[in-house]
């Protein structure tokens, strides 16, 4: 629609500047020292919603960080789209690996570098600018509601309760989320699901204090060695996970779906070069996209113990700790898997150490059908602005709240992510391509149009 394009073209510099302002607020949900920043960011989101033309926007409390709710209702008899996103970000550490400040956005080679640029501030903000486009050009055909939370990166511990308590406020016909990536600008794709997550921490203790490694070494277990062995035993020589029952509930993807996944353009050399790896690694018998989409995995997210300062210290540490997460696929239960992992790591520990294990957070896997009205609207919208129908693919990441949103609100979720896999989400130098940002703002109004027409 020319009227949209004209409006967006005229306002594009401001659209970008506003996103950068949001990125300057260090809204790190995991750290209590950022509590005030969280509130500041929520207020900024609210202000932006109102400026974009929302009738109403509110910062609503939860038992944790607040939720920002906003809406523009044109006609209650028209379909309603609920946009979900999150204004919190991952901690930026390790800071020394950033080329510029994580909360000091820098534009280089057409990319915005800052924590939260792709995940998810830059992406949910496209929806606010899409709303503005629709309002200012007087072309709205759907009601639009926003649910922008502040705890996605810590597992959305309070959002389920919030949604259950605000069902009528959040009543809608579909949920639209831009918090994922597409294959590439040349080969757009739409995620048909997200993986689930189980996240635990395991602490191994041997002696009751750090010991002299000469006096006691050889006589007392080293917790780092023990923990490393426990972790190393999680995969066999085919990189298949050895934890008993790990694959029990997995719904195997159909041959048709596997064929579809493997039709997605994939260049192994480019994939490897981008990551700087000599070889890929993964479960035998599966391709890269299958490994990251239809198969469950286990990753060690962090491991520490003993002396890590400068120089050498001869010590036999008392403790070693690891943070361990599993990505889950349809029909696996996050709760059941967490119990399984906790029990497993306790059961395999030798009696020379004691093991404590506890849960961090989790979320269920989620799949969306590709024959729904919402998926078709998203597909048509992408085809309109990219000139090519998107390929349906399974997303590897997790959005823990998805299954809860569907259960509480009784509606399907559509994933329309505009990021790229190499956006460095959760890593140093997170970036979002400006082209993708504008393309998202251009595409989203078409979703509303086609959804209303469908
Ligand atoms: Zn995210």
């Amino acid at each position: 629609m020319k009227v949209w394009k004209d409006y967006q073209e005229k306002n594009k510099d401001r659209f970008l500047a506003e996103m950068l302002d949001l990125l300057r607020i260090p809204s790190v949900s995991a750290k209590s020292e950022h509590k005030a920043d969280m509130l500041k960011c929520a207020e900024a989101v609210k202000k932006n919603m109102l400026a974009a033309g929302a009738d109403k926007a509110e910062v609503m409390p939860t038992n944790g960080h607040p939720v920002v709710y906003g809406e523009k209702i044109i006609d209650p008899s028209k379909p309603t789209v609920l946009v979900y996103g999150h204004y919190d970000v991952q901690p930026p550490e390790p800071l020394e690996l950033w080329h510029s400040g994580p909360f000091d956005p820098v534009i280089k080679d057409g990319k915005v570098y800052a924590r939260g640029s792709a995940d998810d501030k830059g992406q949910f903000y496209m929806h606010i600018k899409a709303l503005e486009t629709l309002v200012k050009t007087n072309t709205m055909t759907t009601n639009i509601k926003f649910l922008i939370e502040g705890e996605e990166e810590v597992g959305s511990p309070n959002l389920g309760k919030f949604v259950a308590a605000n069902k009528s406020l959040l009543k809608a016909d579909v949920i639209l989320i831009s918090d994922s990536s597409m294959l590439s600008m040349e080969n757009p794709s739409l995620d048909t699901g997200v993986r689930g997550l189980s996240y635990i921490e395991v602490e191994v203790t041997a002696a009751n204090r750090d010991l002299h490694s000469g006096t006691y070494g050889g006589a007392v277990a080293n917790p780092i060695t023990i923990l490393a062995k426990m972790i190393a035993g999680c995969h066999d020589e085919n990189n298949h996970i050895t934890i008993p029952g790990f694959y029990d509930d997995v719904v195997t993807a159909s041959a048709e779906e596997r064929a579809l996944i493997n039709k997605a353009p994939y260049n192994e050399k480019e994939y490897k070069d981008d990551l700087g790896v000599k070889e890929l690694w993964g479960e035998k018998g599966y391709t890269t996209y299958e490994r990251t989409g239809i198969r469950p995995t286990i990753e060690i997210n962090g491991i520490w113990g003993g002396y890590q300062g400068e120089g050498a210290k001869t010590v036999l540490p008392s403790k070693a700790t690891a943070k361990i997460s599993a990505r889950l696929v349809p029909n696996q239960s996050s709760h059941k898997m967490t119990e399984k992992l906790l029990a497993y790591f306790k059961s395999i520990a030798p009696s020379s150490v004691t093991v404590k294990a506890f849960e961090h957070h989790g979320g269920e896997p989620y799949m969306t059908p590709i024959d729904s009205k919402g998926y078709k609207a998203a597909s048509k919208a992408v085809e309109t602005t990219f000139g090519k129908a998107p390929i349906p693919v399974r997303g590897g990441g997790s959005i823990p709240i998805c299954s809860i949103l569907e259960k509480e609100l009784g509606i399907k979720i559509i994933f329309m992510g505009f990021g790229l896999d190499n956006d460095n989400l959760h890593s140093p130098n997170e970036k979002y391509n400006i082209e993708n940002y504008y393309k998202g703002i251009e595409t989203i109004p078409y979703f509303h149009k086609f959804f209303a027409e469908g």
Side-chain angles (χ1 to χ4, degrees), residues 86 118-120 152-153 179 399 426:
H86 62 93
D119 181 17
D120 176 46
E152 196 272 347
E153 300 292 7
D179 190 16
I399 307 178
H426 300 196

Side-chain angles (χ1 to χ4, degrees), residues 110-133:
K111 305 169 177 85
V112 175
Y113 286 89
R115 173 57 89 230
S117 52
D119 181 17
D120 176 46
K121 287 174 176 172
Q123 292 218 59
F124 85 72
Y125 203 68
M126 300 179 311
H127 290 269
I128 295 184
K129 294 299 97 180
L131 170 76
E132 180 185 321
T133 304

Side-chain angles (χ1 to χ4, degrees), residues 393-436:
V393 297
R394 283 222 218 163
S398 304
I399 307 178
I401 199 64
C402 285
S403 64
I404 299 169
L405 283 175
E406 171 165 332
K407 196 173 120 237
E408 294 292 349
L409 302 176
I411 47 176
K412 287 286 170 202
I413 295 169
I414 303 302
F415 303 98
M416 206 160 71
F418 292 94
L420 297 174
D421 279 349
N422 68 6
D423 280 341
N424 295 328
L425 306 191
H426 300 196
S427 306
N429 305 307
E430 179 178 347
K431 60 90 176 158
Y432 191 31
N433 294 16
I434 296 172
E435 187 192 2
N436 295 47

Side-chain angles (χ1 to χ4, degrees), residues 46-288:
K46 170 189 155 180
K47 215 181 92 201
N48 279 303
M49 280 181 192
L50 291 171
D55 303 324
K56 184 169 117 182
E58 231 179 295
V59 174
M60 299 177 74
T62 71
N63 283 336
H65 299 300
V67 159
V68 190
Y69 173 79
E71 64 176 35
K72 173 83 183 170
I73 308 293
I74 50 159
D75 176 354
S77 71
K78 293 246 158 78
T80 300
V81 177
L82 174 64
V83 174
Y84 164 89
H86 62 93
Y87 68 86
D88 66 321
V89 301
Q90 285 273 326
E93 285 79 8
L95 293 174
E96 66 276 13
L97 297 182
W98 283 78
H99 303 314
S100 50
F103 301 107
D104 189 8
V106 163
I107 294 177
K108 219 173 78 189
D109 307 325
K111 305 169 177 85
V112 175
Y113 286 89
R115 173 57 89 230
S117 52
D119 181 17
D120 176 46
K121 287 174 176 172
Q123 292 218 59
F124 85 72
Y125 203 68
M126 300 179 311
H127 290 269
I128 295 184
K129 294 299 97 180
L131 170 76
E132 180 185 321
T133 304
L134 290 163
V135 170
K136 297 293 157 76
T137 58
N138 204 17
T139 49
M140 280 188 79
T141 48
T142 56
N143 302 305
I144 301 180
K145 294 181 175 180
F146 290 98
L147 171 66
I148 309 297
E149 73 151 317
E151 298 190 310
E152 196 272 347
E153 300 292 7
V154 290
S156 306
N158 296 292
L159 193 66
K161 223 165 112 189
F162 178 89
V163 173
N166 290 285
K167 279 188 195 178
S168 63
L169 183 72
L170 300 169
K171 193 175 179 308
D173 298 288
V174 71
I175 298 166
L176 184 58
I177 303 181
S178 296
D179 190 16
S180 53
S181 54
M182 46 175 43
L183 290 171
S184 67
M185 291 298 265
E186 297 73 37
N187 295 296
S189 59
L190 287 173
D191 280 358
T192 56
V194 290
R195 287 196 283 189
L197 185 72
S198 285
Y199 202 128
I200 66 163
E201 185 162 325
V202 177
E203 183 191 83
V204 175
T205 306
N208 59 6
R209 60 190 184 276
D210 283 0
L211 303 174
H212 185 292
S213 71
T215 314
Y216 293 100
V220 178
N222 185 316
I224 300 178
T225 309
I226 303 286
L227 178 60
K229 275 191 180 171
M230 288 163 67
I231 288 170
C234 286
H235 294 93
D236 68 13
E237 67 280 10
N238 293 323
N239 298 326
H240 198 74
I241 293 159
T242 57
I243 297 170
F246 186 82
Y247 297 102
D248 275 1
D249 299 327
V250 170
V251 172
T252 314
S254 66
E256 291 93 319
E257 187 179 1
R258 288 183 73 177
L260 201 62
I261 289 169
N262 293 310
K263 262 199 350 221
Y266 171 71
N267 180 324
E268 181 154 318
K269 185 175 182 312
E270 272 175 25
Y271 193 93
K272 287 194 292 192
D273 287 353
D274 176 53
L275 302 172
V277 295
K278 285 183 287 191
E279 272 311 320
L280 294 176
W281 179 99
E283 192 181 355
K284 198 174 170 187
Y286 294 94
T287 63
T288 295

